[in-house]
Each structure stands twice: as C-alpha cells, then as structure tokens.
Amino acid sequence: MLKFLLFAMSIFSFYACSNPNDKFDAMGIFESDEIIVSSEIQGKILEFNIQEGQKLQKDQIIGKIDSVSLELKKKELYHIIEALKLQKLDIKNQLSPLFQQLKDTLVDKKRYYTLLKNEAISQKEYDDINAKYSLLEKEIDAKKENLTLKNASIDEQIQTALTQIAILEDSIAKSFIRSPIYGTVLEKYAFAGELSKNQALFKIADLSNLYLKAYIINQDYNKIKLKDKVKIISDTGKSYQGVISYISQKAEFTPKTIMSKDERENLVYMIKINVKNDGYLKIGTYAEVHFYHD
C-alpha cells in the first residue's frame, strides 16, 4: 500500500510540475535492457572485484571461480591419451612375418608349376601349394581387419578423451567471470569466498542509452512511425530528443501506473523511444513524450 501511495504521489508531483499549456502526447518510464549474469560453473569464488555503480567493458574479466579440479581432470585425460597411443598397433610390422611366408610360398608355387609341367610332381602336390597360398592370403586379410578394428577402437577412445578435454577447457574458460556488455553494475549478489552453484552474480545494464516505454491512444497510433523523432521532457524538466524504436501492433488495456493523453481511453498501444543518456536520466523515472506535429 505504501509503495502504491509513493508511486501515485510521484506521478502527481511530475504531472503538477509540467507546463499545463504544453500538453503531453504520452507519458512513460525510462528502462534499460538489464542483464543478470550468473556463474556458469560450480565452485568457490576466488575473486570478484566489482562494486555497484562501476562501469565495465565488454568481456572484461572481473572475477574467478576455482577450477583446480577441472585442470587436474584435463591433465589426467592427457595421460590417458598418451597411454592409448602406446597401445596402437603397427599393422605393417604385425603382418610382416605372414607377408614373408606368402612371398616364399609364391616362389614355391611358381617352382611347383614348372615341375608339374615337366611331370616331376603330381597334380595333388601342386594343388596343395595353391591351397597353402590361398590360406595365407585369407589369414593376412583376417588379421589385418582385426588389427584395423583394434586401432579404430583405440582412436575412438582417444577422440572421446579429446572431446572431454574440450568440454573441460570450455568450463575452465567459463571459470573467469566476465562482463557480457559495456555497462554499469546495478546490483551485486555474490562475494569472494562464497560457493557458487550456478547462481546470479550481478546485474548490469548499458545506461548510456535508455529507452522510454510509453503508451499512446488510438487517435495518435496512425500519426507516428518507426524512426520518428520525438521530444522528451524528463522529470527534472530537461529536454531530450528521442527516436521511436518500437510500436506495438496490438492494443492493450491502459496500465494503472501510466498516464495517457486522454485518461478516458481504455485501450492504448505501447511504444519504445530510444534516448541517449547524458548521465541525468535514471531507470524508473518518468518523462513526457511530445510528438512533432505537423
């Protein structure tokens, strides 16, 4: 109830101080796109060096979450990869004895063929050497396939470990707390020494450019368009130029906290007006909107 009374008093005070001869076209509240930054990994917050009201650069490192366990796991995976590499088989060396047997058998096969032509050996003896040669070929093919499958399995294990390392490196990178945008710290929720469990750390917004959320009545809806310039008068009496950046396509019931040009209107359209902040505009304060009428 107290909040409502204070809110109503602020509207009344602002409206009473406005120039009665300069009727506004709409009234709105300054807002900004506020970002709540949360920790992306769990762990103890080792450093978190920001203060409310502090300006930050985009990607500026402002804190660190403990990542020792992640670093150790990454080191362990590299050791596993080295061990797996030692298990890989040299297929050429493994098959070398069989290839030598095949080569020797081929020599015998050619010799047996000559003997057979000269009728020095029987057909069965020649068939036996052919069968031996074919068996060696099949043995080589089978062993080569088996060794290839074993190496492929090892390669797959190595690739799995490398993927896990990539995931760990991503988490380690996320252990550094960074500002996602250029902006001003609005609120700080955590401190060094606390245990972070994917919790909100701070809220930030770019206060150099605010937008005024206002509502217009139906008869003004067709008088404006996107990128139109409008005059803004803040609650301090200062005048600014704004640019309409958004116009709602659907009407809605007039919010209780907003004054419109004609309070008898039940349906209004929301608009957003971008305003460059000179440092005097504050989130949550009110301002009048004046269209540049023809």
Side-chain angles (χ1 to χ4, degrees):
M1 184 63 181
L2 178 59
K3 288 184 178 180
F4 176 78
L5 289 174
L6 291 172
F7 190 77
M9 288 173 64
S10 66
I11 293 179
F12 177 78
S13 174
F14 176 69
Y15 185 60
C17 293
S18 297
N19 187 344
N21 297 319
D22 190 15
K23 186 171 177 60
F24 59 84
D25 292 294
M27 177 178 283
I29 301 173
F30 283 111
E31 296 184 4
S32 178
D33 293 325
E34 300 174 357
I35 299 175
I36 295 178
V37 181
S38 299
S39 57
E40 298 184 77
I41 66 167
Q42 296 186 14
K44 184 179 180 180
I45 301 175
L46 302 178
E47 300 174 27
F48 193 37
N49 306 315
I50 60 167
Q51 301 295 328
E52 293 178 355
Q54 181 179 345
K55 290 184 178 180
L56 303 176
Q57 300 298 318
K58 187 179 186 305
D59 293 327
Q60 179 178 340
I61 296 175
I62 51 178
K64 180 75 169 64
I65 296 174
D66 186 12
S67 61
V68 172
S69 61
L70 300 175
E71 295 281 2
L72 291 175
K73 181 63 178 176
K74 175 182 170 182
K75 187 176 181 180
E76 179 186 358
L77 285 169
Y78 273 120
H79 286 314
I80 290 173
I81 288 173
E82 291 304 314
L84 286 169
K85 286 180 178 179
L86 292 175
Q87 294 177 30
K88 288 198 70 173
L89 302 169
D90 187 332
I91 296 177
K92 185 177 180 180
N93 285 340
Q94 291 284 327
L95 296 177
S96 181
L98 287 175
F99 276 121
Q100 185 60 48
Q101 288 184 48
L102 188 69
K103 183 179 179 181
D104 294 342
T105 304
L106 180 60
V107 171
D108 289 341
K109 183 180 174 181
K110 290 178 179 178
R111 182 167 60 84
Y112 273 44
Y113 178 74
T114 301
L115 292 172
L116 179 66
K117 284 176 63 177
N118 296 326
E119 298 182 350
I121 61 171
S122 66
Q123 182 67 43
K124 183 179 182 305
E125 288 176 301
Y126 179 71
D127 291 342
D128 287 344
I129 198 69
N130 269 333
K132 181 181 178 182
Y133 186 84
S134 296
L135 276 175
L136 281 170
E137 282 186 319
K138 290 178 181 178
E139 185 180 355
I140 288 172
D141 289 341
K143 190 168 184 179
K144 183 178 181 180
E145 182 179 0
N146 185 48
L147 293 173
T148 302
L149 287 173
K150 286 182 178 179
N151 278 353
S153 176
I154 293 171
D155 286 337
E156 187 176 345
Q157 293 177 63
I158 291 173
Q159 189 57 51
T160 298
L162 288 171
T163 300
Q164 292 175 343
I165 288 172
I167 293 171
L168 287 170
E169 288 177 338
D170 180 65
S171 295
I172 291 169
K174 290 174 179 176
S175 69
F176 292 94
I177 305 170
R178 302 173 185 268
S179 173
I181 61 169
Y182 165 82
T184 302
V185 178
L186 302 180
E187 294 182 56
K188 181 179 178 180
Y189 306 122
F191 298 88
E194 293 181 353
L195 183 63
S196 169
K197 295 184 177 180
N198 304 105
Q199 69 186 64
L201 300 176
F202 66 102
K203 182 193 292 185
I204 188 171
D206 181 4
L207 301 183
S208 62
N209 292 284
L210 301 183
Y211 63 84
L212 188 74
K213 183 189 288 186
Y215 293 84
I216 59 173
I217 60 178
N218 186 60
Q219 68 187 60
D220 289 332
Y221 184 72
N222 294 322
K223 297 178 181 178
I224 62 170
K225 65 181 185 298
L226 291 175
K227 297 186 179 180
D228 273 356
K229 294 179 180 179
V230 298
K231 181 180 180 181
I232 304 294
I233 299 179
S234 71
D235 57 1
T236 63
K238 290 192 69 175
S239 178
Y240 299 84
Q241 186 177 81
V243 178
I244 297 175
S245 60
Y246 172 81
I247 303 174
S248 174
Q249 299 297 310
K250 295 182 179 180
E252 57 185 287
F253 287 105
T254 309
K256 298 297 183 183
T257 58
I258 296 295
M259 296 178 66
S260 63
K261 182 168 66 174
D262 190 340
E263 288 302 306
R264 294 171 299 176
E265 289 279 348
N266 291 323
L267 294 176
V268 292
Y269 294 86
M270 186 186 77
I271 63 173
K272 289 183 180 180
I273 303 166
N274 289 347
V275 183
K276 189 169 182 61
N277 190 0
D278 60 357
Y280 291 99
L281 300 178
K282 305 294 188 295
I283 295 175
T285 58
Y286 292 84
E288 291 179 353
V289 180
H290 298 262
F291 300 142
Y292 293 116
H293 299 285
D294 295 333

